[in-house]
Each structure stands twice: as C-alpha cells, then as structure tokens.
Amino acid sequence: MIEYRLDPTSGVPTYLQIVRQVEHALRLGLLQPGDQLPKVKDVVAALAINPNTVLKAYRDLERKGIATGRPGQGTFVQETLNVVPLEGVRLLRRGLDRWLAQAAAAGLDDDAVRALVDAALYDAARRRGVTAS
Amino acid sequence: MTIGSIDETAARPRLPRLRGLPWVTWRQHRTALLVTTGLFTAIAVFLTVHGLAMHAGYRALGLDSCGDLHGPACQAPLDVFVHRYGAWPDRFATALMLLPAFLGTFVGAPIVARERDTGTYRFAWTLGRTRLQWLAAKLALPGAALTGLALACGLLAFWWYAPWVPPRGRLGSDMYHVMGTVFAARTLFCFTLAVLLGTLIRRTVPALATATVACLAAIVAPATWLEPLIQKPLDANIDTDSGTATGMTVNQWVVDPAGHRLTSAQTDDLDVQAGPDLVSKHQTFHSWLTQHHYTSWVSYQPDTRFWHFQAVETSAYLAAALLLAATALWWIRRPIH
Amino acid sequence: MNVIEARRLSKRYRRGVWALREATLAIPEGRVVALVGPNGAGKSTLLTMVVGLAVPTSGELAVLGGLVPGSVEALGRVAFVAQDPSLYPNLSVADTLRLAGNLSSRWDEADARARLAALDIPLRRKVGQLSGGQQAQVALAVALARRPGLLILDEPLASLDPLARHEFMATVMAAVAEEGLSVVFSSHVLAELERACDYLVVLARGAVQVAGDVDELLSEHSVLTGPAEQADAVTAGLCVVREQRTDRQSTVLVRDYDPVRVPAGWRAERTNLEELVLAYLRTPSVSALPGPASGNRTMAAPLRAVDA
C-alpha cells in the first residue's frame, strides 16, 4: 500500500498529483498489479481533501487502464506501466547529471533549472495535446 | 420525540430517568434547583421544629382551654405566650416575604440571558428543538418546581401560624404574605418576570439586577396599595364589634360624644388633653376616651376574608405570570439579530 | 435537490445596514461548498439564516429541498458548528453529547464517542478545559452524530492551529466520503478550503458574485499573458474578468476562452482558485453566476473591467 503526499505549492491539481504518484510508484515497482490503491475514505481522512478529488484521480487511472474499480471493494492496480529497465533509468540519470552540471556552469540556480524543466514539460505536454483545459 | 441511543449506563440510577428537553433543563439548572430545594428544606425544618414547640407551648399554657382569649382568664398565659413567641411571626414574615423575588430572579433571569451572553444559544438553538420548545420546557419545569416548593412552604407556614389566629388573625399579620397560596403565586410570577427580562435584556448581570428590582417592586407595591382595595372594608366600633380584634385595619378614627368624626389633629389634641390623667391613673388613652364618651372606630377587613384575599391575589399573580410567560415565548421566536 | 436555495434574499440589521441584498443562490446536493468573501460580505448572516437563528428581511430561503430554516424538520437535518464552538464550558464532554442527544431527533452516540476516542479527547473533561481545536472537534462530533443532510460550518478554522485545522478538515472530508452529506464552509481565507471544496460561492458586499462547480470555474477561466501593446486587440470580444497591465506586459483573466486561439507571443495558463477569487473580488462589477433556468452561464455585468 502506498501513501499519497501533496505538494500545495506545486500548482499541479491535486487529482493529478495522485495520478502521478500512482504512476511513479508503478514505475519504481512499489505497486504491483493486483495491489489495492488506498481507499477513498482513508486518503481523504489523511489528506483532508475532497473525496471527489480522489475519485477523479481513480477514474483517470481507470481511463488510462492502470487501475480498475471493483464495486464494494475498492480500486486495484490492473497492469504495470511500461517499466523502464533499471539500466535505462541509470543512463537517463547520468545524462541528467551531466546536463545539471552544464546548467550550473551556465549560471542557472536551482529555481531557474526547475522553471526551465517545467516550461519544457509544459510545452511537451501541449504538443501531446494534454494541457490542462 | 424520538431519541436515539442515549447511553443508558451513564444515567445515575437514583435519579428519575429524564429524556429530551426535561433532562436538558434538569442538567442545566440543577444547581439552581438544588440550592432552592436546600433553602426550602431548611425553612421547612425550622418551621416544623419551631412550630411543634410553639404549638406545644400554646397548649401547655392552657390557651386552648381558657375560654375567651381576650377575657381575664386568658390574659396572663397570653402575655407569657406573646412574650415567648410574639416576635416570631413578624421576624419570619420579614425574612420570607421577599424570598420569591430573589428566588425567581436567581433561577429565572439567567435562563435565556446567559445563553445570549455566552453565545451558547448558537449551539442550543440549532440542535433538533425549536427555540419555542426549548423555552417552554425551561419555563414549565423550573416554574413548576419553584411553585411546588413555595406552595409546600406556604402551607407549612399556614400550619405554623395557627396559634396566632385566635389573638391576631391571619389577614392582619405580615405572615399573610408567606402563608397559603399567595407565596407560591408570587414565586411563579417573579420567576416568569425574571425569565422575560432575561430574554429582553440578554445580559446575565443586568438581567439579574433589573429582575431583582422589578420583582421586589411587584411584591411590595401591590401589598402596600392594592391589597386593601380587594374588598370594601367595613366600618366598626372597636368596643362593640368583637371582629375588630383580628383582621386588617385600614384606618382608624375617633368620634366625639356629639357624633362628629375627629380629624387626626383633633385626636392628637385630645391625647395631649388626656395626658395628665393617663400618667396619674395608669389609664390607656382608649379607656380614657370611653370614659369621656368618645367612641373609637376602625375601617377594617375582617379576618374571615383571608381566603378571599388569598384567592384574589393568587389568581392575579398567576394570570400575570401566564401573560409574562406568553410574552417571553412570543419574544424568543423573533429573529436573533 | 438544492440544499440551500435563496431567492432575492435580503437582510437588514436594525442599524439600517444591509448585510445581504437580493442574494440569489442555489447549492446542489452532495457538495462541499466554500463560502468565501471579505469580512462583512454577509457570509455569517447567510449562514445564521440557513440554520434558523435569523430570519430574512425579505426574499425566500429554503433548505434541503424546501424546508423552512428553523422549523423542526429543518433543525432535525441541518447541523451547525459556529465559529467559536459555543459549547457549554462547564459541561463535561460526555454531558455535552448527552445534551445534544436529548435535543436531537436523530442521534448516534456511539459514532460521536468513537470520533472523540480516536482524537484522544477525554469524555470526562469539562469542555472549557479543552483546547480550541478539541472544542471544535467536539462540536463537529456532535454535528456529525446528528446524521445531518446539511452541515454548516461558520469559519470553523479561524481559531485553530495548523494541525487542528488539518484534523478538523480530515474529519469533515471523511464524513463526506462515508455519508455523502452536503457541507457549507465559510471562510475569509480561501487557501484553507481550496483542496476540500468542490463548489465555490463568493459573496461580496451582500451579493453573490461567483457561484459554481470549482472544476468548471477553473476550466472556464484562463490567464493570458502577453505584450501590453497587443492587449486591447487580443481581449476584444472576450469576457475579461480582470486585466493588469504594466507598460510592457499585460495579464488578463478571461472567461470562456478557447486556448487553441492563443496568438503568437501570448501564453494561456490555467488559473487557480485563489487567483480567480481575488480577481473577482477586486472587480466587483463582474460576476459569474449560473443562468436562470437553462443552467447556462451568463456574464451579468459589463464585459470589460480594466484596471489601468
């Protein structure tokens, strides 16, 4: 079982934060197919958020084929995302480290790096056509 | 009124198992009601113990068997009895006459005022009962308890006073205010007046102060000015009408041998004129007047009218109490803000 | 069913001040509503009328599908937690529960006791000796044990520390998840309600300025940022809620905007609830309300309101 945590300053909608954390946990193998996702009531009691937010996240996961709702029981992980092999993750990380070193050399501080990454992610998402509204 | 699963085990077994608004009323006003009950119990114990002794003293002195109390046979024992117990009726009446004002205020004024003062009305009046139901319970139950206790006290005082009826009568005594049903009616009246003032004033301390003053006035003023008007008083010659020994004297005057009623100034002049005789012959002014063919007259309420007076006054206070309660109930339905 | 329905609701106090003026509002069932607005906007006035402590000067108000506020039926199904919890300080927690149970038509004592036990609130302690957060939790436990259809919370978090706020909100949200009751929170601090509510009502100067589903409101509004000299051309014909201009850049909150039409050099972004509320509150002439019968949204005020 995983626990969600929220970053109130990220600007990312709460339901999307939950969706991403489930996806993240799947990629890292923390969640396996057949695992139950935290119950809506428990999530709500822990995070003090609107139950509809959790329901919306779970619907989103169902739509993506990641999870499936079983009436009266809860929501369960259906299949694993395309797990990037560990070696692949290492390679990407090494590339990112190199890039970060270049950014630092170019005079970017952490905030500038984050802004740049956010902007790149935003543009990429727009190209894919999944911008928020 | 359906109540869900109230925890039954929490209820103390010695208490009657109340539910709903009655329980709430009891829980919130039990201190006031227990203090009141304690006070009345103390009064009752005193009245009983003292009354038994006084009644026994009356019999022991032979006052129940000496014939006409105003005759010579009873004179000496009556003097002893008066000397021994004579101050008690007035003492007792003075102590208790104003009790309804203080008790009614103490129990009644905070009922609404404190809720408004502390803001707890927002809790109490947004649960499942309307303000009207809430106030009706808080008027009915403490009102009934106070009235019951005061009635018991008044009837006990009625019994206690019995030895003083032959020499003094009930109507003329200050104990009139503490005996019978008037005492209870005044208590209920003061309680509803205090509840209404608390509802209007909405602050505990000002409500207590105002209600105390208002209740005292509502007891003293009618007792002083209205009571004698309940029935037209009778005029009687003190010497020929034995009924004048007891009862409530409203007025007295002297009539000269020619049949003219004297003014009080003229009576004072007579007193001065009689002065030397009174000193030298150890005479009373009254016997001096009789000797000189003057007659003494009173305007009075005969003691037989005691229950009539009690009934009239009781109904007046009860009617006023009902009116006050209805006003409080009407007022509380009004919007808060 | 609408849990709160107000039609041209007005309230004037004795001093002659209008706290609410012709407010019209319909809140659907099953929502968690954030009722926000500056101090003095009429939030408390509206809620005291909903719970029956005050009556309207004019207009109509009904709760839970037509019940008269303050009637026995309405009192039995509407629960209220006042800003300062207003419990009896000299009663123990257990007696407070018993008192509320004796005054309620529905009452789940076990539920209340379980909630308080979970929060380690001792039943024997006098309410006056509890912390502000614990008192709020007792008031909330009482409200929830009454199994209400509508829970009204008037500034419940105002006097609570952050942990107590979180616990309070968590309790309310869990109750919403379990029982599907409708909740109306009022607050002048939107941030504390943002993740809890799914319906927003903004009151300003005694009138309803914004009302609607939070997701819909957010998806209907966009923030456009671009060169100031093009701003007039870009915003022509748009529903502008608020525009802020420096000599170079213009930031415009618009409504019903199609993001595909973003012109070159401009950027369209999602707005957040706080930004949206502030924009409306700073521009009182603009409102966003559900249309009369059709449910369509209408712009009820001049299309443009520009802050120079």
Side-chain angles (χ1 to χ4, degrees):
Chain A
M1 188 72 84
I2 60 169
E3 257 181 40
Y4 306 122
R5 46 172 296 282
L6 297 181
D7 179 358
T9 58
S10 70
V12 179
T14 308
Y15 90 95
L16 213 52
Q17 293 192 38
I18 293 176
V19 169
R20 286 181 186 171
Q21 282 173 40
V22 171
E23 291 172 347
H24 190 70
L26 277 166
R27 286 199 191 90
L28 294 179
L30 294 172
L31 277 176
Q32 304 285 341
D35 282 353
Q36 184 173 12
L37 294 177
K39 284 186 175 144
V40 173
K41 188 198 133 198
D42 297 333
V43 178
V44 156
L47 300 179
I49 58 174
N50 192 296
N52 288 332
T53 309
V54 187
L55 290 170
K56 188 175 174 187
Y58 285 6
R59 272 202 307 275
D60 209 43
L61 289 166
E62 285 175 32
R63 202 164 40 78
K64 288 178 171 175
I66 295 170
T68 177
R70 295 180 202 159
Q73 294 182 53
T75 308
F76 294 82
V77 176
Q78 194 165 32
E79 61 178 72
T80 321
L81 289 181
N82 300 328
V83 178
V84 183
L86 212 55
E87 189 50 32
V89 172
R90 266 194 215 122
L91 270 172
L92 284 168
R93 173 66 193 259
R94 225 172 286 149
L96 188 57
D97 288 343
R98 265 200 304 280
W99 182 85
L100 280 174
Q102 285 169 4
L108 266 63
D109 62 5
D110 288 358
D111 287 337
V113 166
R114 272 188 209 109
L116 208 55
V117 171
D118 282 347
L121 285 172
Y122 177 83
D123 289 342
R126 269 191 75 189
R127 280 197 295 278
R128 291 202 306 272
V130 290
T131 44
S133 62
Chain B
M1 295 212 289
T2 51
I3 310 296
S5 55
I6 308 297
D7 191 356
E8 305 292 348
T9 55
R12 274 169 261 172
R14 68 187 173 85
L15 295 173
R17 189 162 295 168
L18 295 173
R19 294 186 155 211
L21 272 166
W23 183 85
V24 172
T25 307
W26 158 249
R27 179 63 190 80
Q28 291 193 278
H29 302 288
R30 66 183 183 189
T31 311
L33 291 175
L34 287 176
V35 167
T36 308
T37 310
L39 189 65
F40 274 117
T41 309
I43 294 169
V45 168
F46 173 83
L47 277 177
T48 310
V49 172
H50 186 268
L52 286 173
M54 187 166 72
H55 287 223
Y58 187 80
R59 284 191 302 274
L61 288 165
L63 285 166
D64 53 341
S65 52
C66 64
D68 178 14
L69 264 188
H70 302 285
C74 292
Q75 193 57 51
L78 186 60
D79 284 349
V80 174
F81 187 70
V82 168
H83 178 72
R84 211 180 276 169
Y85 296 104
W88 279 104
D90 274 357
R91 255 182 228 167
F92 199 68
T94 310
L96 291 195
M97 181 177 166
L98 299 178
L99 189 66
F102 295 116
L103 275 184
T105 300
F106 169 66
V107 179
I111 285 182
V112 178
R114 194 189 287 146
E115 304 274 350
R116 297 302 308 271
D117 219 359
T118 56
T120 47
Y121 70 93
R122 290 193 289 257
F123 177 64
W125 297 349
T126 53
L127 296 167
R129 299 287 174 269
T130 65
R131 277 176 260 167
L132 194 65
Q133 294 171 321
W134 182 90
L135 185 59
K138 296 219 167 190
L139 277 168
L141 301 171
L146 271 182
T147 312
L149 288 167
L151 186 63
C153 179
L155 295 178
L156 196 60
F158 185 86
W159 163 83
W160 176 86
Y161 187 76
W164 295 105
V165 176
R168 294 181 179 178
R170 292 186 186 276
L171 194 53
S173 165
D174 278 348
M175 278 297 286
Y176 167 85
H177 302 289
V178 184
M179 287 188 290
T181 54
V182 160
F183 188 64
R186 281 183 184 164
T187 305
L188 180 66
F189 169 83
C190 288
F191 168 74
T192 50
L193 179 59
V195 172
L196 176 63
L197 287 172
T199 310
L200 299 179
I201 293 170
R202 305 180 307 200
R203 297 256 160 225
T204 313
V205 176
L208 281 169
T210 315
T212 308
V213 173
C215 290
L216 288 176
I219 289 177
V220 175
T224 313
W225 290 298
L226 296 182
E227 234 167 56
L229 307 178
I230 288 176
Q231 210 174 348
K232 196 175 182 306
L234 299 179
D235 293 350
N237 184 327
I238 289 180
D239 298 306
T240 55
D241 191 333
S242 64
T244 58
T246 58
M248 185 203 295
T249 303
V250 179
N251 197 3
Q252 48 190 341
W253 65 94
V254 174
V255 173
D256 70 9
H260 297 110
R261 180 170 167 166
L262 301 185
T263 64
S264 56
Q266 290 169 322
T267 313
D268 288 347
D269 288 345
L270 266 187
D271 202 356
V272 173
Q273 193 186 326
D277 281 354
L278 300 190
V279 176
S280 58
K281 299 180 187 167
H282 295 289
Q283 214 175 3
T284 64
F285 184 46
H286 177 72
S287 55
W288 186 91
L289 286 173
T290 314
Q291 201 181 338
H292 292 76
H293 308 291
Y294 289 90
T295 45
S296 298
W297 288 76
V298 287
S299 163
Y300 81 116
Q301 304 281 4
D303 201 47
T304 47
R305 293 180 178 177
F306 173 79
W307 281 115
H308 177 69
F309 271 57
Q310 285 267 327
V312 169
E313 218 172 325
T314 300
S315 349
Y317 274 113
L318 287 182
L322 275 179
L323 197 66
L324 292 171
T327 311
L329 287 170
W330 171 76
W331 191 268
I332 201 148
R333 292 183 63 188
R334 291 160 43 97
I336 299 289
H337 297 284
Chain C
M1 181 181 79
N2 288 325
V3 290
I4 297 178
E5 203 169 314
R7 235 176 251 134
R8 301 171 66 101
L9 186 67
S10 299
K11 176 69 185 177
R12 188 174 55 180
Y13 290 126
R14 262 179 233 143
R15 292 152 291 173
V17 181
W18 289 91
L20 274 184
R21 251 188 146 142
E22 308 241 316
T24 295
L25 181 66
I27 295 176
E29 191 181 15
R31 295 313 192 87
V32 180
V33 182
L35 178 63
V36 298
N39 287 328
K43 304 188 294 290
S44 279
T45 302
L46 176 62
L47 295 187
T48 42
M49 288 197 285
V50 167
V51 300
L53 284 177
V55 294
T57 307
S58 66
E60 291 165 37
L61 179 64
V63 294
L64 293 164
L67 301 181
V68 179
S71 63
V72 186
E73 298 78 23
L75 285 173
R77 298 191 51 211
V78 179
F80 178 52
V81 176
Q83 176 173 357
D84 125 46
S86 312
L87 303 170
Y88 296 102
N90 57 342
L91 285 192
S92 68
V93 175
D95 274 351
T96 301
L97 295 186
R98 204 162 165 214
L99 180 138
N102 272 301
L103 289 176
S104 301
S105 36
R106 282 184 284 182
W107 182 250
D108 190 339
E109 176 95 6
D111 177 79
R113 282 174 180 249
R115 283 182 200 285
L116 296 177
L119 293 161
D120 287 327
I121 294 175
L123 288 176
R124 291 192 182 180
R125 182 85 42 93
K126 287 206 189 298
V127 168
Q129 294 166 349
L130 299 176
S131 71
Q134 288 175 319
Q135 291 191 23
Q137 285 286 359
V138 172
L140 183 59
V142 165
L144 292 174
R146 300 182 56 223
R147 300 263 169 251
L150 174 61
L151 175 61
I152 304 289
L153 305 151
D154 189 8
E155 299 263 2
L157 309 174
S159 58
L160 304 189
D161 62 61
L163 179 65
R165 282 177 191 211
H166 183 89
E167 284 184 339
F168 188 95
M169 291 303 278
T171 310
V172 176
M173 288 303 113
V176 170
E178 281 178 316
E179 290 155 46
L181 77 170
S182 308
V183 181
V184 178
F185 277 100
S186 77
S187 176
H188 58 276
V189 188
L190 176 67
E192 61 195 13
L193 301 182
E194 189 161 3
R195 292 194 306 198
C197 67
D198 53 26
Y199 199 93
L200 177 74
V201 176
V202 179
L203 277 187
R205 299 165 194 210
V208 181
Q209 200 185 0
V210 180
D213 180 274
V214 168
D215 282 346
E216 283 175 26
L217 283 171
L218 289 179
S219 65
E220 282 167 7
H221 291 79
S222 313
V223 179
L224 298 180
T225 317
E229 66 267 19
Q230 298 173 8
D232 286 338
V234 168
T235 57
L238 295 179
C239 292
V240 175
V241 177
R242 185 176 161 83
E243 176 172 356
Q244 284 169 291
R245 258 185 226 190
T246 61
D247 49 352
R248 298 237 179 117
Q249 197 189 42
S250 187
T251 307
V252 198
L253 181 73
V254 294
R255 203 170 134 207
D256 297 332
Y257 180 72
D258 178 3
V260 176
R261 296 190 343 189
V262 183
W266 285 73
R267 187 170 164 160
E269 284 172 303
R270 250 180 96 89
T271 181
N272 62 48
L273 211 49
E274 189 153 14
E275 188 177 38
L276 185 126
V277 170
L278 283 176
Y280 274 98
L281 286 179
R282 283 177 179 146
T283 321
S285 55
V286 179
S287 58
L289 301 168
S294 61
N296 288 334
R297 291 167 165 274
T298 52
M299 203 67 168
L303 287 179
R304 292 176 54 90
V306 179
D307 282 12

